Amino acid sequence: MLTISVLPMQAQDREPIKVMFLGTTHLDNPGRDAINMDVPDVLTDQKQKELESIRDVLAEFNPNKVALEVQRKHQSGFDSLYQKFRAGKLDTFSTGDFVSRRSEQYQIGFKLADRLDHDHVYAIDHYIPMKMGKMMEFAQKYQPEFLEYFEEYKSSHHIMMKDSLLQNGTLLELYQYMNTEQSVKKYHEPYVRSLSLANDSSFVGADVTADYHRRNLRIFANLMKIAEPGDRIFMMFGAGHSPFIRPLLKDSPRIEFVDPMDYLE
């Protein structure tokens, strides 16, 4: 009979890695997404108070690492920006290639890390472009009903609710809405619907969606490069990443997923 001996794990290796994933809208209106929301100026006094209230609840999680949507290859430049921010030396109008003063990286990521006295912030994105134009061209030629669906999705209750909260609600209310399980499912819906964009010789929808999957898998791999037993990591990416990243966090044997709604509500 074959006997398999299992070596005892070190106590520190048994410590869970707690990760809170916060889905966000891009506060500085960069215009890089398939659906771009019109975000009001977050530098007004009112929006600054709202952002402070968000940081207040996130600080209760007490993360020891903050991981943000900036490509890992830019880590050293990102670090330099963060150190300038901590020293109060960032330019008033422009802060370089990776983050603007209106961005969520600055308003939530940098300010939360500084509040918790972190010396470092982590860039864990890995950018792979989605060839949306190729997918839309295919749909126009072979499945125009997909274009109709996508137009309906852009004016759906889910998108209109986000816009209403952006224009008339508070940012805390927006983040509460965006990070529910129901919203995460809504973010996933267009990707699943796009899989039907195929014919006998091409799987355009699946291939484009696969590129986005691949990007999120690499983001998760970058997260694991910085994760150590006992860590409490705050991770923030655009909410469109939520249906891809959250299952990886929940299914990982090394990670304990922390639902942001436990703190936002």
Side-chain angles (χ1 to χ4, degrees):
M1 179 177 178
L2 178 63
T3 302
I4 300 176
S5 61
V6 180
L7 294 174
M9 294 176 64
Q10 297 293 327
Q12 63 176 7
D13 292 334
R14 290 196 298 267
E15 291 185 76
I17 300 165
K18 296 187 177 183
V19 180
M20 177 195 289
F21 180 93
L22 183 72
T24 181
T25 193
H26 296 307
L27 299 178
D28 54 346
N29 290 304
R32 294 191 299 263
D33 295 329
I35 301 175
N36 294 290
M37 309 303 294
D38 182 18
V39 181
D41 185 0
V42 297
L43 298 184
T44 65
D45 289 345
Q46 177 58 38
K47 291 303 177 188
Q48 285 294 297
K49 290 177 182 176
E50 293 173 15
L51 284 161
E52 185 175 11
S53 70
I54 292 171
R55 295 192 298 269
D56 285 345
V57 297
L58 296 176
E60 293 177 11
F61 172 54
N62 194 29
N64 68 313
K65 292 178 180 175
V66 171
L68 302 172
E69 190 175 350
V70 172
Q71 293 182 66
R72 192 168 187 267
K73 67 181 182 180
H74 296 316
Q75 181 66 68
S76 110
F78 195 46
D79 274 334
S80 295
L81 284 178
Y82 179 61
Q83 296 307 323
K84 288 180 182 177
F85 163 78
R86 295 203 80 189
K89 295 180 179 179
L90 273 183
D91 184 276
T92 304
F93 301 104
S94 174
T95 58
D97 295 331
F98 316 124
V99 57
S100 75
R101 289 184 72 234
R102 287 176 170 81
S103 70
E104 66 274 11
Q105 290 95 334
Y106 184 103
Q107 291 294 332
I108 296 177
F110 276 18
K111 290 188 176 183
L112 178 64
D114 182 55
R115 172 174 175 166
L116 298 171
D117 200 28
H118 293 188
D119 294 326
H120 184 72
V121 287
Y122 294 86
I124 64 167
D125 191 13
H126 182 99
Y127 183 65
I128 298 175
M130 286 187 72
K131 298 175 182 176
M132 292 292 294
K134 182 178 180 180
M135 197 166 71
M136 294 304 184
E137 287 175 11
F138 183 93
Q140 188 170 25
K141 186 174 182 179
Y142 296 105
Q143 293 186 33
E145 64 271 19
F146 176 81
L147 300 179
E148 295 173 11
Y149 156 77
F150 196 63
E151 287 303 313
E152 290 174 0
Y153 180 82
K154 288 193 291 186
S155 60
S156 66
H157 173 76
H158 172 60
I159 300 300
M160 292 299 101
M161 185 67 177
K162 282 180 61 180
D163 184 62
S164 177
L165 290 170
L166 274 168
Q167 307 309 323
N168 306 305
T170 68
L171 290 173
L172 180 58
E173 290 171 333
L174 174 70
Y175 281 93
Q176 288 170 336
Y177 176 75
M178 293 173 68
N179 285 277
T180 62
E181 287 289 348
Q182 293 83 354
S183 287
V184 171
K185 290 178 181 178
K186 286 295 182 182
Y187 289 119
H188 198 208
E189 181 184 293
Y191 298 101
V192 177
R193 177 65 177 80
S194 72
L195 301 181
S196 66
L197 294 173
N199 57 27
D200 290 341
S201 60
S202 176
F203 294 86
V204 172
D207 290 345
V208 171
T209 301
D211 284 340
Y212 196 56
H213 269 291
R214 190 155 58 101
R215 178 184 175 190
N216 284 287
L217 290 170
R218 293 189 178 191
I219 290 168
F220 183 80
N222 284 340
L223 173 71
M224 299 315 295
K225 289 174 184 176
I226 71 166
E228 299 174 303
D231 274 347
R232 300 175 65 87
I233 302 175
F234 170 71
M235 177 181 182
M236 179 173 58
F237 271 70
H241 294 270
S242 297
F244 300 91
I245 296 291
R246 282 169 64 124
L248 295 173
L249 296 172
K250 291 179 178 181
D251 293 345
S252 170
R254 297 181 58 197
I255 286 176
E256 180 181 318
F257 173 72
V258 178
D259 193 333
M261 295 303 293
D262 293 342
Y263 293 82
L264 293 173
E265 290 187 327

